[in-house]
Amino acid sequence: MASLVSSWASQVNTVPERYVVPTEKRLNVNVPIGKEIPVIDLSHPNSAHIAEQIIKASQDYGVFQVINHGVSQELIGDVLKVCDEFFKLPIEDLEKYTEEEELSEFEPNLDQKPKLYIEKEYKPKKNGKNDKEVIFWKDTFAHCTHPTKEDRINSWPEKPAQYREVIGKYTEGVRKANLRILELMCEGLGLEKDYFANELSHIQYMAINLYPKCPDPTVTAGAVEHNDGGVINLLLQELGGLHVRRQKDGQWLAVEPIPGALVCINGMVLKVISNGKLESGIHRVATNSVRDRISLGCLTSPTCCGECIIEPAKPLLSETNPPKYKPFSYTEYLKIFFTDTSEFEAALNPYKI
C-alpha cells in the first residue's frame, strides 16, 4: 500500500526530506485574511445584481465565496463527517483504492475509478531533466461524480456505510449550484444563459483532500501556486489554508472559512471563453501545525470525448475585441495545459508565429 501522509504524519517531529519544498516555492503561511474577497448571496432576488457581483469578483480575484447556494448546512456537516470517517478507515479498506505507484499528478478523467494517492506537482522535463519533485503534504481521494452511471457509483466506497448516499446528494447539490453560477456568469457577460450547458460542463470530478497536521508548515505545501484547467471548482473548506492571489497587485490573501459557504475558483476554460474578461483563480494551499484539515472540491470540466472546442465565445468578439486565444479541442487544450502551465496562455495565442 502507498505510504499515505496521514499514516505517519503524527509520528514525526521533523518533515521528511522528500516533502521539503524547494526554497523558491515555499509559502508564506502568515498572509492576511482577505476580508474583501466577495461573499455572494445566490438567493438575492435580482439576478442581474448577482451576475454583476460575480463578474467583478472574477475580474479582481478569479475567486469568490457563495452562500445560500442550495446545499444545506446539515448536508455539509454530513459530507465532512463521511470524509473524515473515510480517511480513518483501517488500512485494509483504504488499500483497495491505492496503486503501486504512490505518487500521482492530478488528472480529471471521465472514467476515473476511485483513487487514493499522494499528489505531486506536474513538472514537465526541460532539457531532458526534472527539477526536484514537489510532493504535497496531503492525501487525496478522487473520482468522477457526473455523469452518474450504475457501474460508476458501484465503484464508490461501501465504507463508511453512508458514503454513497451522502456523497451522491452532496455532489448533485453542488452541481446544481455550479450550473447556476455559470448561468449567472453568462448573464453578466451577455451570453445565452445555457452557453455552458451540455459538453462544456459535462464532467464533474470530486477530490477530497486530507492535509494532516504538519510539524513545520514553513517548509511544506498542501499545493503550490497554480490555476485549475477546467471551468470552475466549488470548494468546501472547514479550516483555513487556501490562499488566493489578488489580480491587481499579486498580493496573497487567505480565504476565510465561512460556515456553509462554498469557494468558487474559476478555471482557465472560463478565462479563454470570456476572451480574458474573467480571470482564473491563482491559488495555493498552506499546511498547519494545529490539526488535520479536510477540503472537498467539485470541479466542472468539458467532456474529453469527441471534439469539444474551447475558444473565445463568438458573441463577445468584435473588431475592438479580437480573440486572444485560438480554438482547441479540449483534448488538445489539456495537453497544452499539462505540458507547461507557465507557457499555457502563450501557447493559445492566435497571433503567435
Side-chain angles (χ1 to χ4, degrees):
M1 167 180 181
S3 182
L4 299 171
V5 179
S6 58
S7 69
W8 50 261
S10 63
Q11 303 166 24
V12 299
N13 295 318
T14 58
V15 175
E17 177 60 30
R18 72 189 305 227
Y19 291 90
V20 174
V21 175
T23 304
E24 68 274 11
K25 290 198 171 187
R26 291 184 187 173
L27 285 60
N28 174 9
V29 298
N30 297 313
V31 299
I33 294 175
K35 293 288 188 180
E36 70 270 36
I37 296 172
V39 179
I40 299 172
D41 185 350
L42 295 185
S43 69
H44 192 284
N46 187 338
S47 66
H49 174 73
I50 306 174
E52 182 181 349
Q53 288 183 301
I54 288 175
I55 297 299
K56 182 70 165 59
S58 295
Q59 293 171 331
D60 293 345
Y61 302 95
V63 173
F64 51 92
Q65 300 204 64
V66 292
I67 57 174
N68 294 320
H69 39 63
V71 182
S72 70
Q73 184 63 55
E74 180 182 5
L75 183 53
I76 286 174
D78 288 345
V79 79
L80 287 172
K81 181 173 182 290
V82 161
C83 293
D84 181 61
E85 290 174 349
F86 173 80
F87 282 111
K88 290 178 178 176
L89 288 173
I91 288 178
E92 55 268 26
D93 290 318
L94 293 177
E95 67 184 358
K96 299 174 185 176
Y97 308 106
T98 60
E99 298 177 351
E100 186 174 344
E101 173 56 53
E102 63 177 342
L103 300 177
S104 178
E105 294 114 13
F106 179 76
E107 296 181 84
N109 189 320
L110 176 61
D111 294 317
Q112 176 68 63
K113 296 292 176 68
K115 179 180 177 181
L116 179 59
Y117 59 97
I118 303 168
E119 189 179 347
K120 64 179 179 178
E121 181 188 24
Y122 186 83
K123 192 73 178 177
K125 289 185 178 181
K126 294 184 177 179
N127 301 320
K129 296 182 179 180
N130 268 336
D131 293 337
K132 179 183 184 295
E133 280 187 324
V134 177
I135 303 174
F136 300 143
W137 188 271
K138 69 174 176 179
D139 298 331
T140 298
F141 182 63
H143 58 79
C144 185
T145 60
H146 186 274
T148 52
K149 294 181 179 179
E150 185 175 351
D151 62 334
R152 190 172 292 141
I153 294 175
N154 286 341
S155 72
W156 296 3
E158 294 179 326
K159 298 178 183 178
Q162 299 299 312
Y163 184 94
R164 294 182 182 179
E165 178 185 357
V166 171
I167 294 296
K169 288 181 179 178
Y170 175 79
T171 55
E172 180 182 0
V174 169
R175 179 162 177 78
K176 289 178 180 177
N178 261 326
L179 295 177
R180 172 92 197 288
I181 291 168
L182 288 174
E183 287 184 354
L184 289 162
M185 285 182 172
C186 288
E187 181 175 347
L189 290 169
L191 298 172
E192 294 291 330
K193 74 171 187 177
D194 61 351
Y195 188 90
F196 286 97
N198 302 317
E199 62 179 10
L200 284 174
S201 59
H202 185 63
I203 297 176
Q204 181 170 277
Y205 187 84
M206 181 195 71
I208 307 170
N209 301 300
L210 171 63
Y211 304 88
K213 184 172 68 171
C214 178
D216 187 358
T218 65
V219 300
T220 59
V224 293
E225 174 183 339
H226 69 286
N227 304 83
D228 290 340
V231 182
I232 54 175
N233 175 12
L234 273 189
L235 181 80
L236 172 63
Q237 62 164 358
E238 61 164 352
L239 186 69
L242 175 66
H243 297 172
V244 301
R245 196 170 76 188
R246 190 164 54 202
Q247 296 292 333
K248 68 178 181 180
D249 57 7
Q251 170 69 50
W252 284 101
L253 301 168
V255 180
E256 184 177 18
I258 298 174
L262 296 173
V263 184
C264 184
I265 304 173
N266 293 352
M268 278 301 302
V269 170
L270 267 181
K271 185 167 185 174
V272 171
I273 289 176
S274 70
N275 204 36
K277 183 171 183 178
L278 306 184
E279 292 290 347
S280 63
I282 301 171
H283 57 292
R284 66 189 191 189
V285 181
T287 60
N288 78 84
S289 60
V290 179
R291 65 182 178 94
D292 295 352
R293 173 181 182 266
I294 287 178
S295 72
L296 197 162
C298 289
L299 299 93
T300 296
S301 298
T303 180
C304 295
C305 304
E307 291 299 315
C308 178
I309 301 300
I310 307 302
E311 63 181 339
K314 289 181 173 58
L316 302 181
L317 304 179
S318 65
E319 290 186 3
T320 57
N321 186 34
K324 297 178 181 178
Y325 309 96
K326 55 188 175 184
F328 280 94
S329 73
Y330 189 55
T331 302
E332 293 175 303
Y333 167 94
L334 287 177
K335 286 179 181 177
I336 297 169
F337 186 81
F338 285 110
T339 296
D340 189 346
T341 54
S342 66
E343 299 296 329
F344 177 72
E345 290 198 64
L348 293 181
N349 186 340
Y351 308 109
K352 184 178 179 181
I353 299 175

